[in-house]
Amino acid sequence: MHISAKADYATRALLELACEPARPLTCEAIASSQQIPFRFLKSVVGELRRAGLVRSQRGCEGGYWLGRPAHEITLLDVARAVDGELITLRGEPLAGLDYPGPAGGLPGVWRQIEADAAAVLGGTTLATLLPATTDEHHAVEGQLSRRGAA
């Protein structure tokens, strides 16, 4: 299985934004902080913006913010925003994959791996990856503990 550089960089950029939800961050600041090539990050952030995972503002007070709260953005959202299909075989989706004869069961294994990966990524939000010191992480923990007490 292969995790693309785009998915890795996109997630790292979103985590930087999640740590600073009150103020915008520039691509330059994110690239520097995460040691990501600036030009590549700029293109990745454009894809995240088109997917609604980040919002932007131009100008000297501008930059990027999360498009939704960190507890609403999953790693599956990120991967699909920048890569499309989660897992492909030679660039093709697994949905219609069919093999003859003794290899007939193999496509089911590939699809199960995709489903399992989607479950893990879909169950992991940016908020769950944040250091415990961030304000939004504390807010999410408070929401979860209130739900558990009800």
Side-chain angles (χ1 to χ4, degrees):
M1 199 155 119
H2 174 79
I3 298 169
S4 73
K6 282 171 64 171
D8 180 56
Y9 291 168
T11 304
R12 291 164 55 193
L14 289 169
L15 288 167
E16 285 286 331
L17 294 173
C19 281
E20 298 285 343
R23 67 181 181 98
L25 295 179
T26 65
C27 274
E28 292 88 352
I30 296 167
S32 175
S33 177
Q34 287 295 315
Q35 300 174 349
I36 297 172
F38 171 75
R39 285 187 177 183
F40 193 33
L41 179 63
K42 192 81 172 152
S43 133
V44 169
V45 169
E47 291 181 45
L48 293 173
R49 189 181 51 75
R50 284 186 288 282
L53 298 179
V54 299
R55 58 187 177 89
S56 62
Q57 178 179 317
R58 294 178 188 249
C60 60
E61 300 284 326
Y64 294 91
W65 293 268
L66 290 180
R68 301 191 314 244
H71 68 274
E72 293 181 10
I73 300 174
T74 68
L75 295 187
L76 184 60
D77 296 330
V78 179
R80 288 199 169 139
V82 297
D83 289 335
E85 295 287 330
L86 187 57
I87 297 177
T88 62
L89 181 66
R90 295 182 299 276
E92 297 296 320
L94 301 177
L97 187 62
D98 187 33
Y99 293 148
L106 189 55
V109 173
W110 299 151
R111 285 189 283 275
Q112 184 61 52
I113 291 169
E114 180 179 42
D116 292 348
V120 169
L121 295 174
T124 306
T125 68
L126 295 178
T128 61
L129 297 173
L130 291 174
T133 58
T134 62
D135 291 340
E136 184 163 325
H137 187 67
H138 288 302
V140 169
E141 285 176 345
Q143 290 171 355
L144 294 175
S145 65
R146 282 192 298 277
R147 286 184 195 154

